[in-house]
Amino acid sequence: MPDTPTFGPHLKGFPAGQAPLSREQIGQQDWQLLHGDLALPLAVLKQSALQHNLHWMRDFCAQRGLFIAPHGKTSMSPELWRMQLDAGAWGISFATVFQAAVGARHGVPVLLIANQVIQRAELDALALLHAEQPALRSLFLVDSVGQVEHIEAWAAARGFQGRLEVLLELGMAGQRTGCRTADGARQLAQRIHASPVLQLAGIECYEGTTATCNHAQDRATVQQLMDRVAAIAREAIAQGWFAHEEIILSAGGSAIFDLVAERLTPQLGRPVRGVLRSGCYLTHDHQRYTRYLCCVGERLNLRETLKPALEVLACVQSQPEPGLALLSMGKRDVSYDLDLPQPIWRSDAQGGAPQAVPSHWRTDALNDQHAYLRFDPMAPEAEWPRLGETVASGISHPCTTFDKWRWLPVVDDTYRVVDAVTTMF
């Protein structure tokens, strides 16, 4: 395990002149964000929402006999991975061998690389990980005979004698990776079984990019995909292509995972480990995934689902013309790939309690370091942004906010800093 991370003035938002601190010391500083103890902009995590989301997803999986290997690329935060593992996660999913190696160095016991591994340098790195940690388990995706041939050529060139566990990926026309046809999947499963380098551990798919919030359409899409998963799994069992008694079936993004969960443990006459890979559930968001989770709540008749835990705080630094204020955050600080951040609360420059922003406030553009906050200049002056006050924004898509920060304070509901996490992108 690596040494305890050090936090210091080299990190954006950390107090200038403050001596470096360990994580254990962060919560002892009594920093209060509403009092201006840390410079803005600053991305923060709300402790109460994190705990709620951890427990909500743990219970969701337990009630359905499922396991979760949350996608670690969302946060690339060893401290958050540890929270997820401590809450019962089976392993952590990653998109690259580099990310998986970071996970292995921080004690993740099962690495599910939800992507194709084909480059020689990545295969070298994966082999090195297993040489360094013999007890480590890793799985990655295969979706073509050509990929198998690349891996076998690498193994022959390197004199590699081991066996790498893989999941056969099924894909959908026009979407991402994965076998498109039943015949292609059948031929690939047989080829993996015959390979001296690979072991077929299960079947994988990904449905997340198909979500529409049209219940009938989403259910039909997932049903068709999961029917294909079950069909190839049954044939692989009949032909003896799986390497182990237990079969892994894995799917589940962060949008329509409830529909996948209904079909992830089919009756196959063999033990099935159904593994969800939802990653954004831990911090959730205020926009895109909030809309999706409203749909999940409708389908499951739930009064409460996940809570947004990630916010970006900024300062009103200029009010150059009627109806426009500039916030001290921009593309370097907050996600903008799906939806622009939107203001959710304000606190005056004296550190007053957060108040909901007026309904006419909106962010309509970002520069590198500025957000354009528009408001109604005809509204009462009390509803205008004020210089020096704090404005918190809700984000859309947590993945691309996390990658702009190397640390994030964890705050209680009064915005007092009680902890901190690091990221390792």
Side-chain angles (χ1 to χ4, degrees), residues 114-186:
N115 210 345
Q116 281 63 35
V117 177
I118 189 170
Q119 300 175 67
R120 286 173 293 179
E122 284 207 313
L123 291 162
D124 287 343
L126 191 58
L128 180 61
L129 273 181
H130 283 280
E132 294 173 344
Q133 299 188 39
L136 187 69
R137 187 178 189 187
S138 72
L139 307 100
F140 64 86
L141 308 187
V142 174
D143 71 352
S144 70
V145 170
Q147 183 188 356
V148 174
E149 292 171 346
H150 272 276
I151 295 168
E152 290 175 345
W154 162 82
R158 295 292 193 266
F160 178 75
Q161 299 297 314
R163 301 287 292 276
L164 301 171
E165 285 191 277
V166 300
L167 303 177
L168 186 154
E169 181 175 30
L170 295 182
M172 293 179 282
Q175 297 296 319
R176 288 194 329 207
T177 50
C179 295
R180 291 335 199 213
T181 67
D183 283 345
R186 186 180 304 113

Side-chain angles (χ1 to χ4, degrees), residues 129-290:
L129 273 181
H130 283 280
E132 294 173 344
Q133 299 188 39
L136 187 69
R137 187 178 189 187
S138 72
L139 307 100
F140 64 86
L141 308 187
V142 174
D143 71 352
S144 70
V145 170
Q147 183 188 356
V148 174
E149 292 171 346
H150 272 276
I151 295 168
E152 290 175 345
W154 162 82
R158 295 292 193 266
F160 178 75
Q161 299 297 314
R163 301 287 292 276
L164 301 171
E165 285 191 277
V166 300
L167 303 177
L168 186 154
E169 181 175 30
L170 295 182
M172 293 179 282
Q175 297 296 319
R176 288 194 329 207
T177 50
C179 295
R180 291 335 199 213
T181 67
D183 283 345
R186 186 180 304 113
Q187 293 169 13
L188 178 58
Q190 187 174 14
R191 182 65 176 81
I192 293 170
H193 174 68
S195 173
V197 182
L198 303 178
Q199 293 181 310
L200 183 60
I203 312 295
E204 183 274 351
C205 63
Y206 175 64
E207 80 302 328
T209 55
T210 68
T212 65
C213 270
N214 177 312
H215 296 323
Q217 182 174 331
D218 288 345
R219 187 175 294 278
T221 299
V222 170
Q223 179 174 332
Q224 183 181 48
L225 179 61
M226 299 310 293
D227 281 348
R228 292 173 58 208
V229 169
I232 188 61
R234 290 191 177 95
E235 181 158 5
I237 290 170
Q239 298 295 334
W241 292 335
F242 285 120
H244 313 302
E245 178 68 13
E246 179 186 76
I247 299 161
I248 296 171
L249 300 183
S250 180
S254 296
I256 49 177
F257 58 85
D258 61 308
L259 298 176
V260 169
E262 296 174 1
R263 307 292 301 277
L264 207 48
T265 53
Q267 295 297 317
L268 298 178
R270 295 268 290 274
V272 175
R273 183 179 293 268
V275 180
L276 288 175
R277 300 192 309 278
S278 308
C280 295
Y281 80 88
L282 180 57
T283 61
H284 200 42
D285 71 10
H286 287 82
Q287 297 187 67
R288 184 64 58 96
Y289 288 112
T290 289

Side-chain angles (χ1 to χ4, degrees), residues 64 215 258 293-305:
R64 292 159 177 80
H215 296 323
D258 61 308
L293 264 290
C294 285
C295 297
V296 172
E298 289 175 4
R299 288 191 291 266
L300 299 180
N301 195 28
L302 298 176
R303 300 175 66 179
E304 184 176 63
T305 58

